[in-house]
């Protein structure tokens, strides 16, 4: 046990590990706050679709040799989120069909571009490593520049501020959008706001768990909290705590046993979900309000 603590202390003596932990905790917090709303509104699939879009945009950014991928990936993902929201109300193309087209198309185009430019200086010749790193997360989280960390901090603060500022509006739109619209609330504006915010979270989270595992950060904390609590506020608070604790624990485990950061965090989330599910079905126990 002493050896483990010493190894953790030694690892955190490096600034890159400290930066990675900061980004991991912030991403986990933002993902969990939005996750409750997305799960309740049955919008959780949007996270998976937008992650594919972000992968395609990342491939293009690498081919263009951009200094910062954020300059291209963030606006492209935000625009895609808006298009998904609008197309979901299009009678000719249903929301699930448009999501499939955009996500699969972006994934295919991204992989094609990485193949075409794999011999250039902007893309590493080791294509399989690049793809695995972007899709499942890798050591990139440990190579973040100071500017990237600050950008993540600023974006996380903005996401949290938006959620807290419009908490009551988001609550109303989440549970009864038709009633909210009938009372004069512009529900579509808040749905659009949610789409933009989740796009921001997806882009920030890619460095942590990779494009294919981002949905886990959104879904598992919310579903786990719903196994124990029933009120929106309680579920949101529990999901935030659950997500931060599991992410920090998964990050520490990945350092100690040298496992992939993203996959380890998701594994811890799964274990936490299983534990909360067991707690939720204990005979004679009612869900806490």
């Amino acid at each position: 046990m002493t050896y483990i603590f010493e190894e953790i202390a030694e690892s955190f003596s490096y600034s890159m590990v400290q930066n990675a932990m900061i980004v991991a905790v912030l991403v986990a917090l933002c993902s969990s706050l939005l996750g409750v709303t997305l799960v309740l509104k049955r919008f959780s699939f949007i996270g998976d679709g937008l992650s594919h879009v972000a992968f395609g945009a990342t491939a293009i950014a690498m081919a263009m040799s951009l200094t910062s991928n954020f300059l291209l990936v963030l606006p492209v993902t935000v625009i895609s989120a808006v298009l998904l929201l609008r197309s979901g109300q299009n009678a000719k193309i249903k929301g699930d069909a448009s999501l499939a087209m955009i996500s699969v198309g972006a994934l295919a185009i991204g992989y094609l571009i990485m193949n075409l430019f794999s011999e250039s200086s902007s893309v590493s010749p080791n294509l399989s490593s690049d793809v695995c790193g972007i899709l499942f997360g890798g050591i990139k989280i440990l190579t973040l520049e100071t500017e990237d960390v600050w950008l993540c901090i600023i974006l996380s603060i903005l996401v949290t501020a938006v959620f807290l500022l419009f908490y009551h509006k988001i609550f109303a739109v989440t549970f009864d959008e038709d009633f909210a619209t009938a009372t004069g609330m512009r529900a579509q504006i808040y749905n659009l706001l949610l789409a933009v915010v989740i796009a921001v979270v997806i882009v920030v989270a890619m460095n942590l768990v990779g494009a294919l595992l981002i949905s886990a950060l959104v879904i598992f904390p919310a579903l786990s909290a719903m196994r124990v609590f029933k009120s929106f506020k309680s579920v949101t608070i529990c999901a935030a705590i659950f997500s931060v604790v599991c992410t920090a624990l998964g990050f520490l485990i990945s350092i100690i046993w040298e496992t992939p950061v993203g996959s380890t965090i998701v594994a811890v989330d799964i274990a936490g979900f299983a534990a909360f599910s067991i707690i939720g079905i204990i005979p004679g126990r009612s869900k806490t309000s």
Side-chain angles (χ1 to χ4, degrees):
M1 184 65 68
T2 302
Y3 168 75
I4 294 178
F5 284 115
E6 290 178 352
E7 185 172 351
I8 293 176
E10 182 180 355
S11 298
F12 275 89
S13 64
Y14 298 99
S15 60
M16 61 179 183
V17 177
Q18 298 172 10
N19 292 337
M21 176 61 89
I22 293 173
V23 171
V25 170
L26 290 176
V27 168
L29 176 61
C30 293
S31 301
S32 61
L33 291 177
L34 297 172
V36 176
T37 296
L38 293 178
V39 169
L40 290 174
K41 288 178 67 64
R42 301 181 185 274
F43 279 177
S44 54
F45 61 86
I46 288 181
D48 187 55
L50 291 179
S51 66
H52 293 175
V53 173
F55 168 78
T58 300
I60 296 174
M62 292 173 64
M64 296 173 61
S65 300
L66 293 180
T67 304
S68 176
N69 291 346
F70 278 111
L71 298 176
L72 179 67
V73 179
L74 184 58
V76 168
T77 309
V78 170
I79 292 173
S80 298
V82 175
L83 292 176
L84 281 174
L85 178 67
R86 291 187 178 277
S87 63
Q89 302 170 355
N90 192 327
K92 296 181 180 179
I93 304 178
K94 297 300 182 181
D96 56 345
S98 60
L99 173 67
M101 288 191 301
I102 292 178
S103 61
V104 174
L107 195 64
I109 291 175
Y111 186 64
L112 176 62
I113 289 176
M114 292 188 73
N115 269 278
L116 293 176
F117 290 88
S118 60
E119 300 300 327
S120 68
S121 58
S122 58
V123 181
S124 170
N126 191 357
L127 181 64
S128 60
S129 177
D130 288 333
V131 173
C132 287
I134 297 175
L135 292 179
F136 299 101
I139 62 173
K140 189 176 180 181
I141 186 67
L142 297 175
T143 61
L144 293 174
E145 299 291 340
T146 304
E147 294 77 9
D148 294 329
V149 176
W150 276 109
L151 181 59
C152 290
I153 292 175
I154 293 173
L155 291 177
S156 298
I157 292 175
L158 289 176
V159 169
T160 305
V162 167
F163 182 85
L164 295 177
L165 184 62
F166 297 102
Y167 173 81
H168 295 290
K169 304 292 185 182
I170 293 174
F171 174 84
V173 171
T174 298
F175 284 97
D176 198 335
E177 184 174 332
D178 293 334
F179 178 77
T181 302
T183 58
M185 182 184 299
R186 303 181 66 180
Q188 294 304 317
I189 296 297
Y190 295 102
N191 281 332
L192 180 63
L193 180 64
L194 284 173
V196 172
V197 171
I198 191 59
V200 173
V201 173
I202 293 299
V203 174
V204 175
M206 275 191 65
N207 287 330
L208 177 62
V209 296
L212 294 184
L213 301 179
I214 290 176
S215 293
L217 295 181
V218 175
I219 298 173
F220 279 111
L223 292 180
S224 300
M226 290 176 187
R227 292 295 184 273
V228 179
F229 298 93
K230 63 181 180 180
S231 74
F232 183 75
K233 183 177 180 180
S234 299
V235 168
T236 302
I237 294 175
C238 178
I241 297 174
F242 176 95
S243 185
V244 170
V245 171
C246 287
T247 299
L249 182 59
F251 188 85
L252 293 177
I253 292 175
S254 70
I255 291 177
I256 297 173
W257 281 284
E258 299 181 353
T259 56
V261 177
S263 301
T264 305
I265 291 175
V266 174
V268 174
D269 279 334
I270 294 174
F273 172 75
F276 272 62
S277 297
I278 294 174
I279 294 175
I281 62 175
I282 294 178
R285 184 191 176 282
S286 60
K287 290 186 178 181
T288 307
S289 60

